[in-house]
Amino acid sequence: MGKVLIASVAVAALAIVGAALADGSAMFRTPSGNIGCSYTGAAGSPKGYLRCDIGSGVKPLPKKPLSCQGDWGLGFSMNDTGKAGVTCASDTVLHQGFVLAYGKTWKRGGFVCSSATTGLKCTNRSQHGFFLSREKSYSF
């Protein structure tokens, strides 16, 4: 009886974790392929994280902080509230996920990203965010 209960609990836990992972992440890119984004968050939780990288780099690029041990200026990242910051990472989220067509908007976990021929604009719950394009990039 105890083994059946443990097995049932394990199966239920795996189902919950699987649902959280399935609902809690997404990846998309712009039609040009120059911008790619990754969203992570737990299903049913208001907490989330969005990162968008740009192949042509953040322009203008702020000075690299001493705390950054990876590649600097890949794009911007932010939590579901608060300000966005320039990304320091040793990987990339470019060229992954579905294509967010120009004129379309993606929404999840308090984030809203709008794709346009002029660039990608993303905001969070507190209306902070960033804009990425080949010509210029900024956070607000």
Side-chain angles (χ1 to χ4, degrees):
M1 176 91 154
K3 290 181 181 179
V4 172
L5 179 59
I6 291 171
S8 296
V9 170
V11 169
L14 287 173
I16 291 169
V17 170
L21 291 174
D23 188 50
S25 65
M27 299 187 87
F28 61 90
R29 55 195 159 97
T30 57
S32 70
N34 191 43
I35 301 171
C37 299
S38 175
Y39 162 80
T40 54
S45 171
K47 302 289 182 193
Y49 177 79
L50 179 69
R51 171 181 166 188
C52 293
D53 291 350
I54 182 163
S56 55
V58 170
K59 296 176 186 171
L61 182 61
K63 183 179 177 183
K64 183 177 181 177
L66 295 175
S67 61
C68 176
Q69 299 301 308
D71 294 322
W72 176 246
L74 300 175
F76 286 101
S77 54
M78 63 182 166
N79 292 316
D80 62 323
T81 60
K83 294 186 176 184
V86 175
T87 303
C88 174
S90 58
D91 61 356
T92 184
V93 297
L94 286 173
H95 314 299
Q96 300 177 48
F98 71 92
V99 173
L100 181 63
Y102 296 134
K104 298 295 182 181
T105 300
W106 172 88
K107 297 178 183 180
R108 188 174 292 180
F111 296 100
V112 177
C113 292
S114 299
S115 175
T117 56
T118 55
L120 181 75
K121 179 181 178 182
C122 295
T123 58
N124 63 15
R125 293 181 199 278
S126 56
Q127 299 306 305
H128 290 289
F130 54 81
F131 175 79
L132 290 168
S133 76
R134 290 184 193 277
E135 292 79 29
K136 64 181 176 181
S137 305
Y138 58 88
S139 62
F140 51 90

